[in-house]
């Protein structure tokens, strides 16, 4: 099935609607805390594969398996494939019927599938993003959505430019119902923007195009400030500070170090150091950072140069369950709900929801469930940097039961038998606690190098 043909089929399904995809589910009594006055959803890494279909030939189930055998395909997908439309609609259907009252949604990028470059084009990528945007706008006509571009939201993938382009112009037009004219103009210029929340006028969302800083992006190689985004960010934060606003940072590719390897930043190290420096200087007004990209569930704590925790950072797991042929682990599809104080926009709690993909495929229905409530699971007061830093210190202790939980949730409860050995744990701990080069190296010395030299 050709990708473009399949996309038009999907768009037709979205317009017609699909009743009965998910079970209307409000959190059961005792499962979650009473809703705070402020709430918002975070959705990321949808990665629609419109070619997904059940067939006897397991190599032909989806283009995103790249010819590999699908594992156990069902109506809601397969771990070797990106999301079928049925899975994405079930996620949105769950949100719509969850009974949760929210002020807005953040959507941190990556709509197209993981397929070879030759199987996509600029027009196809735009069509996929348009498809997802239209679906959100039709299902949630009164909800303000704040999008961010992902590294797959371009063709060729990863090569997002520091100047205006066909994709930037297309998404600027698509996102007009959500954004004001000033935001639309900077989206056209470089794929980033800032915008106040219409229901919370002292809260500003800054959506960064961190794909400009991604290692594989050769278009921005050796540029000190691609699209002048750093200069724009500092100016925007400075004005917000003068106006006594609070800020949430959203983007696709996160700051900091990848938790599954050693000494590897998610973006080029120079850009990471630059962003960390800016975030440190404006930590008094930045009350949360939210990312996607890794497909995993993780937290980070930004500290100042003296080691004091000053910012909470959250990386949300993907909706797509896809894994590579050589990977053993992947994630169940996930969605999350944040709760914040409506007076100062400080983060109070986070509710992580998930779909057990194996169970959903067996039963033929999508029963999205509450996976955990962050404060309850880890017995912490709130999501403030000090609370998360204390939690990370607990994780670092020998045989920490809380860390075992964290590592299971890292994969969205995909396989609880997976063991994180000492090396694995050191990388996880340091990725949580150290976001810049110097503090990361110090962390590795404390939790890995010294222990392995004894």
């Amino acid at each position: 099935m050709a990708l473009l043909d399949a996309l038009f089929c999907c768009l037709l399904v979205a317009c017609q609607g699909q009743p009965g995809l998910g079970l209307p589910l409000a959190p059961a009594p005792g499962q979650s805390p009473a809703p705070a006055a402020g709430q918002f959803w975070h959705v990321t890494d949808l990665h629609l594969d419109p070619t997904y279909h059940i067939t006897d030939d397991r190599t032909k189930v989806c283009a995103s398996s790249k010819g590999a055998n699908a594992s156990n395909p069902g109506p809601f997908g397969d771990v070797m494939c990106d999301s079928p439309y049925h899975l994405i609609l079930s996620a949105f259907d769950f949100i719509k019927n969850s009974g949760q009252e929210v002020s807005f949604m953040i959507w941190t990028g990556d709509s197209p599938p993981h397929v070879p470059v030759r199987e996509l084009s600029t027009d196809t990528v735009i069509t996929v993003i348009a498809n997802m945007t239209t679906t959100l706008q039709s299902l949630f006509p009164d909800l303000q959505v704040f999008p961010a571009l992902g590294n797959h939201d371009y063709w060729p993938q990863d090569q997002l430019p520091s100047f205006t382009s066909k994709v930037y112009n297309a998404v600027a037009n698509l996102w007009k119902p959500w954004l004001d004219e000033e935001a639309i103009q900077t989206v056209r210029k470089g794929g980033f923007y800032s915008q106040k929340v219409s229901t919370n006028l002292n809260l500003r969302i800054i959506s960064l195009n961190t794909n400009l800083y991604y290692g594989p992006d050769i278009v921005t190689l050796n540029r000190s400030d691609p699209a002048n985004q750093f200069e724009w960010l500092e100016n925007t934060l400075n004005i917000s500070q003068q106006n006594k606003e609070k800020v949430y940072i959203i983007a696709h590719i996160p700051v900091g170090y990848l938790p599954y390897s050693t000494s590897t930043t998610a973006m080029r190290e120079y850009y990471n150091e630059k962003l960390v420096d800016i975030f440190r200087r404006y930590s008094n007004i930045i009350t949360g950072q939210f990312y996607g990209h890794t497909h995993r569930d993780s937290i980070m704590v930004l500290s100042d140069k003296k080691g004091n925790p000053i910012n909470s950072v959250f990386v949300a797991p993907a909706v797509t369950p896809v894994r590579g042929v050589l990977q053993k682990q992947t994630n169940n599809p996930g969605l999350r709900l944040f709760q914040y104080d409506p007076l100062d926009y400080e983060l109070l709690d986070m509710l992580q929801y998930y779909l057990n993909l194996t169970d959903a495929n067996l039963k033929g229905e999508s029963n999205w469930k509450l996976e955990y409530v962050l404060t309850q699971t880890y017995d912490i007061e709130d999501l403030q940097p000090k609370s998360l830093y204390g939690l990370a210190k607990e994780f670092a202790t020998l045989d920490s039961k809380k860390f075992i939980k964290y590592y299971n949730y890292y994969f969205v409860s995909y396989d609880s038998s997976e063991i994180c050995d000492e090396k694995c744990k050191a990388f996880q701990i340091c990725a949580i606690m150290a976001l810049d080069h110097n503090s990361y190296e110090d962390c590795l010395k404390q939790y890995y190098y010294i222990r392995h030299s004894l």
Side-chain angles (χ1 to χ4, degrees), residues 319-334:
V319 170
T320 183
V322 74
R323 67 173 173 84
V325 177
L326 300 177
Q327 288 179 300
K328 180 187 171 188
Q329 285 287 342
T330 188
N331 58 285
N332 276 311

Side-chain angles (χ1 to χ4, degrees), residues 12 17 65 122 143 232 314 434:
L12 187 63
S65 77
T122 295
L143 184 64
W232 171 87
F314 301 88

